[in-house]
Amino acid sequence: MKVIGLVMAFVFNLLLILMEGAIFFRVKNKLNILKFYTFLQNFIALTVSILFCVFDVRELLGYGNIPELMKGLRYTATCGLAATMFVFAVFLAPRFKSGKSKTHTDLFGGLEPKTANLLLHYICPIISILSFVLFERGTVLTDSEWTGYAAIPS
């Protein structure tokens, strides 16, 4: 059962890497995007998912367990994406009549702004939440240390 959970966590995190990577490679003016909370949180999640996949494969191959630090970072990244989804859905999305907050001038060709917003604000957070809750729940969530770390980007 543990192997199935590790494989599924790897698959979900790989999906996050592919989707977020596709967006970040298509964004123009990359130096300024991290001032936006959505991009900051998704960049953190992308980085953490890459590291998580490395440690996940190491554990699957029998070279040790996923470190508690990595599990805590996944918790922090998931909380940040959940906050992004909530704030956008409740407060920001209703303000955009066109349903998009990014425009064609912000992205390189091949990616519609509406698709980018859907991925960054809804799909990636949901995938991260599902992966963490269903397959990665080895982190002690009552530890106030990780809850405090989750609040830092906010």
Side-chain angles (χ1 to χ4, degrees):
M1 182 66 175
K2 182 177 180 178
V3 172
I4 293 172
L6 287 171
V7 170
M8 291 304 296
F10 177 81
V11 169
F12 275 60
N13 278 277
L14 187 60
L15 281 172
L16 280 172
I17 293 167
L18 293 174
M19 288 187 283
E20 291 174 346
I23 293 169
F24 279 104
F25 283 116
R26 289 192 170 106
V27 172
K28 294 179 183 176
N29 200 8
K30 289 178 177 53
L31 295 177
N32 289 331
I33 63 170
L34 295 182
K35 68 181 179 182
F36 299 107
Y37 186 79
T38 296
F39 283 110
L40 176 64
Q41 285 304 137
N42 278 277
F43 183 75
I44 290 170
L46 172 65
T47 306
V48 170
S49 289
I50 291 169
L51 292 172
F52 181 84
C53 282
V54 170
F55 286 106
D56 194 3
V57 168
R58 282 187 65 227
E59 184 167 342
L60 281 168
L61 295 175
Y63 292 110
N65 295 329
I66 297 172
E68 288 300 314
L69 173 65
M70 193 71 254
K71 294 176 184 178
L73 289 174
R74 276 289 299 136
Y75 170 65
T76 302
T78 300
C79 288
L81 288 179
T84 298
M85 181 175 66
F86 175 77
V87 168
F88 187 80
V90 174
F91 299 110
L92 300 176
R95 303 184 84 182
F96 298 106
K97 294 179 183 175
S98 65
K100 56 187 177 184
S101 59
K102 286 281 173 209
T103 64
H104 288 283
T105 59
D106 297 323
L107 301 168
F108 290 114
L111 184 67
E112 289 292 318
K114 195 170 187 176
T115 303
N117 283 324
L118 185 67
L119 288 171
L120 290 173
H121 295 115
Y122 298 110
I123 295 175
C124 288
I126 289 170
I127 288 174
S128 186
I129 292 166
L130 289 174
S131 179
F132 186 81
V133 170
L134 297 177
F135 308 115
E136 303 170 30
R137 274 300 296 271
T139 306
V140 180
L141 298 178
T142 57
D143 185 358
S144 62
E145 179 181 357
W146 285 113
T147 305
Y149 292 146
I152 289 174
S154 300

